[in-house]
Amino acid sequence: HPGVVLLDIMMPVMDGWAFLEQLQELPASERPRVIVVSARSSLRDRAKAAELGADAFVAKPFNVDDLLVVLHDVEQAS
């Protein structure tokens, strides 16, 4: 099982929202941490990601160093 998932919202077949909803069906101890990485970065999208259990949000385009900081913070919080 992955420890952290980098998740885009706009994906073919299943979007990121559906993925987050399905993750909620897993016991909390089995869920990976989720960092949403998306061009859809409105306050509404960020709030929805948090409501669906995302641990962090990084807007595209992003700086790799900024992503690494968020990844480090998420890993430290587990």
Side-chain angles (χ1 to χ4, degrees):
H1 298 284
V4 176
V5 171
L6 298 179
L7 177 67
D8 198 343
I9 297 304
M10 297 180 291
M11 300 185 302
V13 183
M14 175 187 283
D15 66 20
W17 305 131
F19 181 87
L20 284 169
E21 288 171 350
Q22 285 194 0
L23 272 184
Q24 295 303 314
E25 295 175 12
L26 293 174
S29 62
E30 294 181 23
R31 283 183 224 142
R33 299 293 206 170
V34 177
I35 300 172
V36 173
V37 181
S38 182
R40 292 187 58 170
S41 60
S42 70
L43 290 176
R44 187 176 194 183
D45 291 318
R46 291 170 183 264
K48 185 172 182 177
E51 287 172 19
L52 292 174
D55 297 284
F57 195 106
V58 176
K60 287 182 182 178
F62 59 88
N63 176 297
V64 174
D65 291 331
D66 293 340
L67 177 62
L68 291 173
V69 167
V70 172
L71 181 59
H72 179 265
D73 291 347
V74 166
E75 288 179 331
Q76 293 302 311
S78 36

